[in-house]
Amino acid sequence: AHDFRDLLVDSRGVGPGETLVHKVRLARSKYMAGDVSGACRTLDGYIREVHKQTGTTHTQAQARDLIEDAHETQKRSAAAATSRNDRNVGVG
């Protein structure tokens, strides 16, 4: 299972500059501020960036792994937020 920390580590040194790392940090910040949909949209941007860079700065296999990790992070973030909301309203 992946989270923001894992995705951040996996993104270091991939692609030109720190574009992917910056997107993960921004997504994590949005998530921590309670903006789960904003975090997921930022991770969508991360995924688009990985697609754009595939074949030039990283391999197809690396891209597949990063995209799978980003999708897993989105799922875990949404599930954690739902769980928190359920506890806050006394459900579940």
Side-chain angles (χ1 to χ4, degrees):
H2 251 66
D3 62 16
F4 289 105
R5 182 177 32 240
D6 295 330
L7 188 57
L8 185 65
V9 169
D10 293 346
S11 300
R12 286 196 177 117
V14 177
E18 296 286 311
T19 305
L20 296 177
V21 169
H22 174 72
K23 287 184 186 302
V24 175
R25 286 184 177 148
L26 180 59
R28 182 178 58 189
S29 294
K30 288 180 179 185
Y31 175 78
M32 297 303 288
D35 184 5
V36 176
S37 63
C40 288
R41 283 191 305 273
T42 301
L43 289 173
D44 285 339
Y46 172 96
I47 292 166
R48 284 190 300 275
E49 187 69 24
V50 170
H51 278 299
K52 189 169 89 172
Q53 295 175 8
T54 301
T56 58
T57 62
H58 53 267
T59 67
Q60 193 77 15
Q62 287 172 313
R64 183 188 63 244
D65 291 343
L66 290 170
I67 290 167
E68 285 175 6
D69 294 348
H71 282 302
E72 182 65 27
T73 300
Q74 285 176 317
K75 287 180 206 166
R76 288 178 54 118
S77 298
T82 300
S83 176
R84 266 198 317 261
N85 289 340
D86 288 348
R87 281 194 305 270
N88 288 339
V89 295
V91 177

